[in-house]
Amino acid sequence: MKLKKMAALFAVATTVAVVAGCSSSSKETTAETTEAQTSAEETTAEETTEAETAEEAEEEEEENYNTGDASKDNPRNQDEIGEDELMVVSFGTSYNDNRRMTVGAIEDAIEKAFPDYSVRRAFTSQIIIDHVKSRDNEIIDNVTEALDRAEKNGVKRLVIQPTHLMNGLEYTDLVNEVAERSDAFEKVSIGEPLLTSDEDFNAVMKAITEATAEYDDGETAICFMGHGTEADSNQIYAKMQDLLTSSGYENYYVGTVEATPSLEDVLAKVQAGEYKKVVLEPLMIVAGDHANNDMAGDEDGSWKKTFEDAGYEVTCLVRGLGELEPIQQLFVQHAQAAVDNLAK
């Protein structure tokens, strides 16, 4: 692989890796890092393992609720791409309406910001891809298929912008796969996940506090539910909590489904205050199965039911971060940095 191309591919990715505790300076080093992390990382935030995703997909097979009209969603799997492509890579969700309002909205914002690029979609979860195809007959490319499509269409300059929350195993896998295929293109650049720099954390904090300002009445605890991971990158949740608290948002709390802070940790903090009401919202790009069931579900063990049983009046905001315009623009900024990197 040409040295210049490798530099273009990893210049942004390496910066992300340093922030999140992962490093990769070459294809060989990246592969070794991935192998080491694989044994330690069972999940990444908002990025479930195949086993966990399979379990969720099995539950969705029995779904008796309406997730929306898939025909309104643009899978962005069209050919006739041209020489410049901006591929938006997401984990994915089978909730049709929310997919359109989050992933689709991010793609639309990126398309508007980069009119000279053809914007295309790729999901990393094959199980979600298969589920949507089986249920709705909507075909969404996985990363391999999207790269194949780009190569077949003669793309020369390829920019990839992930919608991942953090730099975890999914992001590392993406970097590795693109590195294996980068010789098919003249230039390749990969953008950063949402929460990378301190500026990113401040921008996300501003977005979520402004979006929930109407509930900030002094007697309401506003709680955000992330996915969580057993990897070191789980520290982003503690970092966001510390930032909220130090910035004066002492009635804002951050927890996770799969790791720490747990639901029990968040409940204990809320009970230590004098709150009467609780607002729940996912700290995830999309509002899929976790948001609809683990957070807003009526069954025992859900965040909603747990807080109601504790005596609180609960309001659930079932919306993904991707619905917020400032979050969409933050991804645009990351994509812009990746585009600028092509010229280096």
Side-chain angles (χ1 to χ4, degrees):
M1 184 179 301
K2 302 178 182 64
L3 181 60
K4 185 175 181 180
K5 186 180 297 180
M6 284 292 293
L9 175 61
F10 289 104
V12 178
T14 303
T15 302
V16 177
V18 170
V19 174
C22 306
S23 64
S24 55
S25 59
S26 69
K27 180 176 170 182
E28 179 180 354
T29 304
T30 304
E32 292 173 355
T33 302
T34 304
E35 181 178 356
Q37 286 182 328
T38 301
S39 61
E41 295 191 60
E42 294 182 6
T43 61
T44 57
E46 194 183 9
E47 304 160 0
T48 59
T49 61
E50 285 301 302
E52 289 173 326
T53 309
E55 182 179 348
E56 292 176 10
E58 288 175 1
E59 293 175 356
E60 289 183 352
E61 288 293 345
E62 302 175 358
E63 64 193 19
N64 56 3
Y65 46 87
N66 184 7
T67 69
D69 186 353
S71 67
K72 296 180 180 179
D73 181 46
N74 180 1
R76 294 187 181 274
N77 58 0
Q78 302 86 354
D79 289 315
E80 300 181 2
I81 299 172
E83 296 184 348
D84 299 300
E85 177 180 349
L86 210 161
M87 184 191 302
V88 181
V89 178
S90 306
F91 179 78
T93 179
S94 64
Y95 283 71
N96 294 325
D97 283 346
N98 197 261
R99 182 170 67 252
R100 187 183 72 256
M101 293 187 295
T102 55
V103 172
I106 293 168
E107 294 165 345
D108 289 344
I110 289 176
E111 183 175 62
K112 182 177 180 180
F114 302 95
D116 294 333
Y117 281 78
S118 294
V119 176
R120 295 294 183 268
R121 170 187 293 177
F123 281 2
T124 58
S125 172
Q126 188 61 47
I127 292 178
I128 287 177
I129 291 172
D130 293 343
H131 185 57
V132 172
K133 181 180 179 181
S134 174
R135 186 191 64 194
D136 304 311
N137 198 33
E138 177 174 341
I139 299 174
I140 299 172
D141 286 345
N142 60 31
V143 175
T144 300
E145 291 166 341
L147 290 172
D148 288 343
R149 189 182 302 277
E151 183 176 358
K152 177 183 177 182
N153 277 259
V155 171
K156 293 183 178 180
R157 290 164 292 277
L158 176 63
V159 175
I160 297 176
Q161 179 56 55
T163 66
H164 300 130
L165 194 71
M166 65 169 73
N167 176 4
L169 185 58
E170 290 266 340
Y171 184 76
T172 302
D173 287 345
L174 174 63
V175 170
N176 289 342
E177 181 167 2
V178 175
E180 291 289 341
R181 298 287 300 276
S182 64
D183 280 336
F185 312 100
E186 289 184 4
K187 294 183 178 181
V188 181
S189 182
I190 303 180
E192 300 172 332
L194 183 68
L195 290 172
T196 301
S197 66
D198 288 342
E199 290 77 14
D200 293 339
F201 276 85
N202 279 291
V204 172
M205 178 187 68
K206 185 174 186 292
I208 64 177
T209 53
E210 288 183 351
T212 53
E214 64 183 289
Y215 302 99
D216 190 2
D217 57 6
E219 61 179 26
T220 302
I222 302 172
C223 306
F224 284 86
M225 184 194 77
H227 185 280
T229 171
E230 294 184 3
D232 290 343
S233 48
N234 193 72
Q235 58 83 28
I236 68 159
Y237 298 107
K239 181 172 181 176
M240 181 59 73
Q241 179 67 77
D242 290 344
L243 180 60
L244 285 162
T245 303
S246 64
S247 300
Y249 298 102
E250 297 182 355
N251 58 322
Y252 279 72
Y253 301 95
V254 178
T256 68
V257 180
E258 301 288 349
T260 57
S262 65
L263 168 58
E264 291 73 21
D265 295 331
V266 176
L267 176 62
K269 289 182 178 180
V270 172
Q271 289 178 321
E274 298 181 354
Y275 303 108
K276 298 178 181 179
K277 297 176 288 186
V278 170
V279 168
L280 302 177
E281 184 167 2
L283 191 67
M284 303 177 178
I285 302 301
V286 303
D289 186 69
H290 283 305
N292 283 274
N293 295 306
D294 293 306
M295 188 191 81
D298 293 320
E299 295 184 1
D300 290 341
S302 75
W303 284 45
K304 175 187 175 184
K305 187 69 163 55
T306 299
F307 276 104
E308 285 179 340
D309 290 347
Y312 296 99
E313 177 185 331
V314 179
T315 298
C316 292
L317 304 178
V318 186
R319 64 185 177 193
L321 293 176
E323 294 187 45
L324 304 180
E325 194 271 340
I327 300 298
Q328 298 164 15
Q329 291 306 310
L330 188 53
F331 279 120
V332 169
Q333 292 174 27
H334 287 190
Q336 183 65 65
V339 168
D340 293 343
N341 189 52
L342 290 180
K344 295 181 180 179

